[in-house]
Amino acid sequence: MVDGDSVFMRCSAFRELAEHIAESASRGTRVVVTGRLQQRSYEDKQDIKRWVIEVIIEDAGVSLRFATAKVNKVSREKVTHPAESWENTSNPWGGEGQEHELAMAGAGFGGQEAPF
């Protein structure tokens, strides 16, 4: 049974979910997401008001239609507060910049500049 044609939309994920997506999927990987549709407006660089509809991801997984996956459960021993980790490093992204790119990719920006 097929629901219909595929729809490709901008998606945003946050915190641990964004990190897990960045670690589990790469550009071109088929994913399945569930979440909420959100409509918002912004002004572009030419001061033109634009509207965008995006999915705020609540859950995600890689598609198993053309691939296999092995699930690794993440241990939740101690969750650190973001302010604690920033105190111990000069780079708030925790590395040499690659983690920032992964976090942005997981947040739906694909390593590109945000549209606003």
Side-chain angles (χ1 to χ4, degrees):
M1 174 186 264
V2 176
D3 290 333
D5 295 330
S6 295
V7 176
F8 298 90
M9 299 183 74
R10 176 174 297 277
C11 298
S12 296
F14 304 97
R15 298 181 186 81
E16 290 87 9
L17 178 58
E19 293 174 9
H20 295 168
I21 292 170
E23 291 176 15
S24 302
S26 58
R27 186 175 202 95
T29 303
R30 287 177 176 241
V31 295
V32 179
V33 300
T34 59
R36 309 181 318 277
L37 288 177
Q38 177 178 331
Q39 179 178 337
R40 61 182 175 82
S41 64
Y42 67 95
E43 288 188 15
D44 65 11
K45 293 177 181 177
Q46 291 79 27
D47 294 326
I48 298 172
K49 188 171 188 175
R50 301 208 180 257
W51 293 89
V52 65
I53 297 176
E54 61 187 355
V55 176
I56 306 301
I57 300 174
E58 294 175 353
D59 202 359
V62 295
S63 172
L64 299 179
R65 185 170 186 176
F66 300 109
T68 61
K70 183 176 183 206
V71 177
N72 297 317
K73 187 169 177 143
V74 176
S75 64
R76 301 283 183 206
E77 295 170 4
K78 181 185 178 221
V79 178
T80 59
H81 189 275
E84 292 175 18
S85 63
W86 287 19
E87 292 171 359
N88 299 325
T89 180
S90 61
N91 183 347
W93 299 108
E96 297 298 320
Q98 181 181 11
E99 288 82 1
H100 171 67
E101 287 295 320
L102 291 175
M104 292 299 286
F109 297 120
Q112 300 172 1
E113 184 177 312
F116 46 87

